[in-house]
Amino acid sequence: MSLLKRFQPGYDPPARSRDTALLFPARGMDLLVSDRDGTLALPRCADLPELAASAHFLGVLNDTDCYAVPLPGDFVPPEGLKFVPARSLYKQVDEATFAVAGRALSIAEWDVSHRFCGKCGTPTQLVAGERARRCPADHTPYYPRISPAVIVLITRGDQMLLARNATFPEPFFSTVAGFVDPGESLEETVLREVKEEVGVDLKDLTYFGSQPWPFGRSLMVGFMAEYAGGEVTVDGKEIAEARWFNVDDLPRIPPRLSIARHLIDTFIDRVKARRSPSTS
């Protein structure tokens, strides 16, 4: 189900009590949550009224208002609450709530990063009706930063080329990805990143879909492409290893929440469909 069917984003807080609204208190990539018998849950605004008073309205999720508030590094959690990595909420909450949590991280980071004008140092002010802070002195607007990145699944027959990033906290193989450079199209970024990281050329590049990825403040734009030539050669810095894998013999791959996994699963389904005898 599309997130927009369950969540309606907004900017200006509604004129109603915040007590029952969900509160997403963020510190970096961590969220403040309650832990009851091992079950993590987001607090309500009534649980933290002082924080809720200055929180940013995110929108309405399943008829429940949602707010985000940034917390300083030295914030001490009240009894019954603790900080957890926001990614740890995956499967602890439903997917729509998880997506709103990611949005909250980005909004909190934007609020902290743009309290002062980058040109003159004047304290910025919130702008009604949009997600922006503006300098009252030189009128420079500051919006939440979104860094576009591409991600591509490279295929050859029934095989796919997967790579293991040297910086991954856990050893698994995934698709090739990278950030867009100034002046590049998305397609040019795909060709450059693949050549730099695994040394091969591509053909038949097609758009797959996109996914907001708050854990890197990025928007991941997905593609599929066919192998066109070249020997697999990793850069040895970002990519530690890259190999061709058959769909029947895959290594450990990314979790299902990621667009990388959606790309891989889609290709697996296509291969299995080709192999299945026609029922017509």
Side-chain angles (χ1 to χ4, degrees):
M1 178 184 292
S2 170
L3 176 62
L4 287 177
K5 293 182 179 179
R6 300 182 59 184
F7 177 73
Q8 293 299 317
Y11 306 109
D12 296 324
R16 53 178 173 258
S17 173
R18 300 188 181 190
D19 288 351
T20 60
L22 284 174
L23 185 63
F24 296 79
R27 185 180 67 183
M29 288 293 173
D30 295 340
L31 285 173
L32 187 67
V33 300
S34 65
D35 187 351
R36 298 185 179 90
D37 300 323
T39 300
L40 303 181
L42 290 158
R44 299 283 174 167
C45 284
D47 300 325
L48 300 162
E50 293 185 1
L51 293 178
S54 61
H56 294 275
F57 181 62
L58 298 176
V60 182
L61 174 65
N62 295 333
D63 299 323
T64 299
D65 293 340
C66 298
Y67 289 83
V69 62
L71 299 177
D74 59 356
F75 181 84
V76 178
E79 185 177 355
L81 298 174
K82 68 177 184 179
F83 283 109
V84 299
R87 292 179 72 162
S88 68
L89 291 179
Y90 181 60
K91 293 188 177 180
Q92 296 265 8
V93 298
D94 62 80
E95 288 193 14
T97 302
F98 184 76
V100 177
R103 182 184 294 249
L105 292 180
S106 296
I107 298 306
E109 189 271 342
W110 154 79
D111 185 53
V112 169
S113 299
H114 299 294
R115 294 285 176 90
F116 299 92
C117 177
K119 289 184 177 180
C120 67
T122 300
T124 58
Q125 299 172 347
L126 291 172
V127 179
E130 60 179 323
R131 191 73 69 198
R133 300 189 73 99
R134 179 174 286 121
C135 175
D138 58 34
H139 308 294
T140 302
Y142 295 94
Y143 300 96
R145 186 189 69 189
I146 300 173
S147 301
V150 299
I151 186 165
V152 57
L153 178 66
I154 306 162
T155 63
R156 183 181 66 182
D158 289 355
Q159 295 181 314
M160 64 185 89
L161 180 61
L162 301 178
R164 181 171 63 83
N165 193 299
T167 63
F168 281 166
E170 299 180 14
F172 64 86
F173 284 78
S174 186
T175 49
V176 174
F179 286 100
V180 179
D181 278 350
E184 279 187 331
S185 69
L186 297 174
E187 293 81 3
E188 288 169 340
T189 303
V190 171
L191 298 177
R192 174 183 58 77
E193 284 287 343
V194 168
K195 193 67 174 178
E196 289 176 355
E197 294 188 359
V198 294
V200 301
D201 298 312
L202 304 178
K203 64 180 181 180
D204 299 333
L205 184 66
T206 58
Y207 173 74
F208 176 80
S210 64
Q211 179 185 46
W213 194 246
F215 308 108
R217 318 280 192 243
S218 62
L219 174 67
M220 302 295 291
V221 184
F223 293 87
M224 285 191 169
E226 285 285 328
Y227 168 77
E231 182 177 350
V232 176
T233 306
V234 301
D235 61 10
K237 297 179 181 179
E238 186 172 354
I239 302 300
E241 183 181 5
R243 288 188 280 139
W244 291 102
F245 293 93
N246 191 282
V247 297
D248 299 316
D249 186 24
L250 291 176
R252 184 179 179 186
I253 55 178
R256 294 188 182 277
L257 79 158
S258 66
I259 190 172
R261 180 60 178 266
H262 295 322
L263 283 160
I264 292 170
D265 286 347
T266 297
F267 179 67
I268 291 173
D269 290 342
R270 290 179 182 177
V271 170
K272 290 182 176 179
R274 289 200 301 265
R275 292 176 176 177
S276 298
S278 174
T279 57
S280 60

